[in-house]
């Protein structure tokens, strides 16, 4: 426990963090401490905080993945589902590592860990910062995994995401990450059906209309609409009110060619 605490405190400093990453032996020691003390709360707390800090290093992703720390973090979350600090640190670590190196990341994520993330999202009293961390981690886990997307269907993740959009209408950063999750889920037809049945299209369109100057929200909402209408053109009518927001964003971001092309693609699906 003392070793994890010392490393955790050192990892707050950028220079110390770089030095830690330069010595692979430290990760061997950390792995041994974790394995020798399964389910010990203090060690899991310090280790998750340490890993969150180390994930900020540009060259540390492969080291953190190869050392099997992802399964450890997933198990720690499942064992301490009511510990918000641990969950937030764990989710930050998972999202940072998973989004930097998405290839095969979903295979490292355990079902219990994903269920814990979804359970946290379902708690309406959860802070916006923790919800955002959970959304990022969930996106990293489901991004390349159809199995994990199916898990979201059976665990109420879609309702939880739509609910947090309604409950936090002014948390722009949180809304962007929530829409990112819906955008990813909408690549599967069964997920599209569940999203539509839960009022997801209306919620996304309302979010876009309430944030016409936020290009991140308009971009993710447009991708979501494209996915949904591609899978069933009859859903276009419900999404048509988003046209005004999309046109407004195009006007504001006219010099961003990639964004404009993407928004025009959504318009194509909505008006034809």
């Amino acid at each position: 426990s003392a070793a994890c605490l010392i490393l955790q405190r050192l990892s707050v400093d950028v220079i110390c963090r770089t030095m830690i990453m330069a010595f692979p032996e430290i990760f061997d020691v950390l792995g041994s401490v974790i394995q020798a003390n399964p389910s010990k709360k203090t060690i899991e707390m310090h280790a998750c905080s340490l890993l969150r800090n180390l994930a900020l290093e540009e060259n540390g992703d492969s080291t953190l993945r190869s050392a099997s720390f992802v399964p450890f973090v997933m198990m720690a979350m499942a064992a301490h589902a009511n510990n918000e600090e641990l969950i937030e640190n764990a989710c930050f670590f998972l999202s940072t590592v998973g989004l930097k190196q998405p290839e095969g990341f979903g295979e490292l994520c355990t079902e219990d860990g994903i269920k814990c993330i979804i359970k946290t999202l379902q708690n309406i009293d959860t802070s916006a910062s923790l919800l955002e961390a959970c959304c990022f981690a969930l996106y990293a886990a489901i991004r390349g995994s159809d199995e994990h997307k199916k898990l979201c269907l059976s665990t109420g993740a879609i309702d939880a995401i739509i609910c947090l959009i309604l409950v936090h209408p002014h948390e722009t950063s949180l809304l962007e990450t929530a829409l990112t999750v819906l955008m990813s889920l909408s690549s599967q037809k069964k997920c599209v059906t569940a999203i539509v049945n839960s009022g997801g299209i209306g919620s996304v369109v309302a979010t876009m209309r309430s944030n016409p100057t936020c290009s991140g929200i308009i971009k993710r909402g447009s991708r979501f609409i494209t996915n949904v209408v591609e899978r069933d053109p009859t859903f276009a009518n419900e999404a048509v009110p988003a046209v005004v927001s999309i046109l407004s964003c195009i006007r504001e971001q006219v010099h961003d060619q990639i964004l404009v092309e993407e928004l025009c693609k959504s318009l194509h699906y909505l008006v034809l």
Side-chain angles (χ1 to χ4, degrees):
S1 177
C4 283
L5 177 59
I6 292 170
L7 287 173
Q8 184 271 324
R9 289 180 174 175
L10 287 172
S11 68
V12 175
D13 181 80
V14 176
I15 296 176
C16 291
R17 199 160 58 224
T18 303
M19 292 295 292
I20 291 172
M21 295 302 300
F23 291 93
E25 298 85 358
I26 292 178
F27 292 95
D28 294 336
V29 173
L30 179 60
S32 298
V33 170
I34 289 172
Q35 290 178 2
N37 299 274
S39 302
K40 189 170 182 179
K41 184 178 178 180
T42 53
I43 288 179
E44 290 174 330
M45 285 279 293
H46 297 324
C48 285
S49 179
L50 167 63
L51 291 170
R52 170 181 179 159
N53 293 337
L54 295 179
L56 296 171
E57 289 295 303
E58 291 185 6
N59 301 321
D61 305 327
S62 57
T63 302
L64 295 175
R65 284 176 55 134
S66 62
S68 300
F69 290 122
V70 173
F72 157 72
V73 167
M74 285 283 183
M75 288 187 291
M77 286 196 301
H80 306 286
N82 296 319
N83 189 316
E84 289 198 2
E85 181 182 350
L86 185 149
I87 298 294
E88 184 169 347
N89 285 332
C91 284
F92 190 98
F93 165 75
L94 292 171
S95 60
T96 304
V97 173
L99 295 178
K100 284 183 180 178
Q101 288 192 353
E103 180 95 24
F105 180 75
E107 297 172 5
L108 299 174
C109 298
T110 65
E111 185 173 312
D112 286 343
I114 294 173
K115 286 181 178 178
C116 179
I117 295 172
I118 295 170
K119 182 180 177 181
T120 304
L121 288 171
Q122 291 169 330
N123 184 354
I124 197 170
D125 295 323
T126 302
S127 66
S129 62
L130 177 53
L131 288 172
E132 185 176 352
C134 287
C135 284
F136 267 127
L138 184 59
Y139 173 61
I142 68 174
R143 188 180 185 185
S145 172
D146 288 341
E147 288 303 312
H148 291 337
K149 289 176 182 175
K150 291 177 183 176
L151 181 61
C152 288
L153 278 174
S154 62
T155 52
I158 289 173
D159 286 336
I161 294 292
I162 293 173
C163 182
L164 75 85
I165 288 174
L166 298 174
V167 173
H168 300 276
H170 306 299
E171 298 285 349
T172 306
S173 184
L174 172 58
L175 293 173
E176 284 190 28
T177 56
L179 291 181
T180 302
V181 176
L182 289 181
M183 179 188 73
S184 181
L185 289 171
S186 64
S187 65
Q188 270 200 358
K189 190 167 185 178
K190 286 184 178 180
C191 289
V192 168
T193 302
I195 292 170
V196 172
N197 290 341
S198 296
I201 294 179
S203 298
V204 171
V205 171
T207 301
M208 294 171 69
R209 297 188 69 180
S210 298
N211 299 273
T213 60
C214 181
S215 60
I217 285 177
I218 304 301
K219 177 180 179 179
R220 288 160 178 79
S222 297
R223 283 185 181 178
F224 166 79
I225 289 171
T226 298
N227 287 346
V228 169
V229 178
E230 268 186 332
R231 277 147 192 80
D232 191 335
T234 62
F235 295 140
N237 289 338
E238 191 176 350
V240 163
V243 168
V244 174
S245 300
I246 295 173
L247 289 173
S248 176
C249 188
I250 290 175
R251 187 165 54 249
E252 293 291 329
Q253 304 290 332
V254 67
H255 300 298
D256 188 338
Q257 184 177 349
I258 296 176
L259 175 60
V260 169
E261 287 179 358
E262 190 163 337
L263 297 181
C264 286
K265 182 179 179 180
S266 291
L267 288 176
H268 171 80
Y269 279 99
L270 286 173
V271 301
L272 293 181

